[in-house]
Amino acid sequence: MYSKIIMTKKIKQIAVYGKGGIGKSTTTSNISAALVESGYKVLQFGCDPKSDSTNTLRDGKYIPTVLDLLREKHKVDAHEAIFQGFRGVYCVEAGGPAPGVGCAGRGIITAVELLKQQNIFEELELDYVIFDVLGDVVCGGFAVPIREGIAEHVFTVSSSDFMAIYAANNLMKGIKKYSNTGGALFGGIIANSINSSYQQSIIDDFAEKTGTQVVEYVPRSITVTQSELSGRTTIEAQPASRQADIYRSLARKIHAHTESKVPTPLDIDALREWSARWADQLLAIESGEVRGVQANI
């Protein structure tokens, strides 16, 4: 008599980081929507204490978080925290502590442990788990997808603004720190709100200086605003739009991505020096002293 052999397929686990307000959840949700549209089984794991990562995948509706459920009862079946949205995408929100009490990262640690203990990823036969993580700080629970190697590939959403780049550089420092102990590696930068050549040049130069790459350039578009006001992703609300095609292109690139690496982040003095040179360059362009934008200065 032969015993049954259960084959477990490889689940691609990705973390998307970015500073608050940069468009991280918008980008992540559209990636998830594009992947399920292509027939993949996807779980989006919201790691922001605001618990709004998956809203546009569920017509603007909030869902109970893992920490909400744990506050109500001692033992929680992980299935109670999993909800389906657009084309069957699975949605989980880690949640956060009561305001002013405890660490916001606790929700991530608790939620990840709960789903892992109950083998949810394997049970759902997922192709992708996408962690949507606040990237202003890379510490405690927010570092779990990186530190524990839960995510294989880490991407950051960044505009050309200094604080977004500062957060991206800090993320790279965290990845470099944990890379020798089995931590996740860096896949690349998703350049968001890029509507001019100088914005693209700034991001390109930062990627070159840190030994990384730009995965996709996503322009700022009223299409995204219109879609989110209706409680949906651009993929769902305006599937024939140019913006939806850009998100599909991004999803295809992430699907094809197989090799991440250790970045070379800038120390704070080098980052300040780099940003000061760009400030001088842009001032010269604005005053008419320089025509065009050099990709490297």
Side-chain angles (χ1 to χ4, degrees):
M1 182 176 180
Y2 295 96
S3 60
K4 184 178 179 181
I5 299 175
I6 299 175
M7 301 296 291
T8 303
K9 68 179 178 181
K10 177 70 172 176
I11 302 171
K12 194 168 186 178
Q13 299 191 56
I14 293 165
V16 181
Y17 281 76
K19 72 175 291 294
I22 201 61
K24 165 184 54 65
S25 294
T26 296
T27 303
T28 305
S29 294
N30 276 286
I31 292 170
S32 293
L35 288 171
V36 297
E37 183 185 60
S38 295
Y40 297 105
K41 288 187 177 181
V42 180
L43 184 148
Q44 182 164 315
F45 198 119
C47 299
D48 192 315
K50 297 194 302 299
S51 309
D52 57 359
S53 169
T54 60
N55 284 12
T56 57
L57 292 170
R58 290 185 39 77
D59 297 324
K61 298 174 184 174
Y62 281 81
I63 59 177
T65 71
V66 171
L67 286 192
D68 287 339
L69 294 169
L70 285 171
R71 278 190 283 266
E72 293 172 5
K73 50 187 177 181
H74 178 67
K75 189 173 182 179
V76 172
D77 182 339
H79 297 88
E80 298 176 66
I82 301 171
F83 295 80
Q84 286 187 274
F86 174 67
R87 297 208 180 182
V89 62
Y90 295 102
C91 302
V92 174
E93 294 284 355
V101 180
C103 171
R106 176 173 170 260
I108 303 172
I109 297 170
T110 303
V112 168
E113 288 178 348
L114 181 68
L115 270 66
K116 285 180 68 176
Q117 287 169 0
Q118 299 184 25
N119 298 314
I120 294 298
F121 298 164
E122 293 77 15
E123 178 190 320
L124 296 178
E125 298 183 325
L126 298 172
D127 297 299
Y128 284 91
V129 178
I130 304 180
F131 296 91
D132 174 10
V133 195
L134 183 64
D136 290 277
V137 289
V138 187
C139 62
F142 295 115
V144 165
I146 296 174
R147 186 180 66 234
E148 304 299 330
I150 294 170
E152 301 169 82
H153 311 286
V154 177
F155 298 88
T156 186
V157 178
S158 179
S159 68
S160 61
D161 294 340
F162 176 77
M163 290 311 299
I165 289 174
Y166 179 83
N169 194 66
N170 273 350
L171 172 65
M172 292 179 192
K173 289 180 179 179
I175 292 170
K176 185 176 181 180
K177 176 180 179 180
Y178 295 118
S179 62
N180 293 326
T181 55
L185 300 182
F186 193 68
I189 301 167
I190 300 168
N192 197 39
S193 298
I194 304 299
N195 288 87
S196 69
S197 61
Y198 84 80
Q199 291 172 324
Q200 181 172 329
S201 294
I202 290 172
I203 288 287
D204 286 347
D205 191 35
F206 175 67
E208 181 180 338
K209 293 291 188 295
T210 53
T212 59
Q213 64 174 342
V214 177
V215 181
E216 186 66 88
Y217 303 95
V218 182
R220 181 184 294 275
S221 171
I222 194 172
T223 305
V224 176
T225 305
Q226 291 169 331
S227 300
E228 293 196 332
L229 286 171
S230 72
R232 296 174 292 170
T233 62
T234 303
I235 294 288
E236 180 181 6
Q238 303 206 40
S241 66
R242 176 176 177 269
Q243 193 76 7
D245 284 341
I246 291 171
Y247 286 128
R248 291 186 184 102
S249 171
L250 172 58
R252 286 193 297 270
K253 290 173 181 177
I254 286 176
H255 173 69
H257 182 86
T258 57
E259 186 176 349
S260 292
K261 58 184 179 179
V262 180
T264 54
L266 303 174
D267 63 38
I268 188 61
D269 290 337
L271 184 63
R272 283 293 184 186
E273 183 181 339
W274 173 84
S275 65
R277 289 200 306 270
W278 267 108
D280 291 342
Q281 176 82 347
L282 296 182
L283 183 62
I285 293 169
E286 186 177 32
S287 65
E289 295 175 18
V290 177
R291 292 186 178 182
V293 176
Q294 298 298 319
N296 295 285
I297 58 174

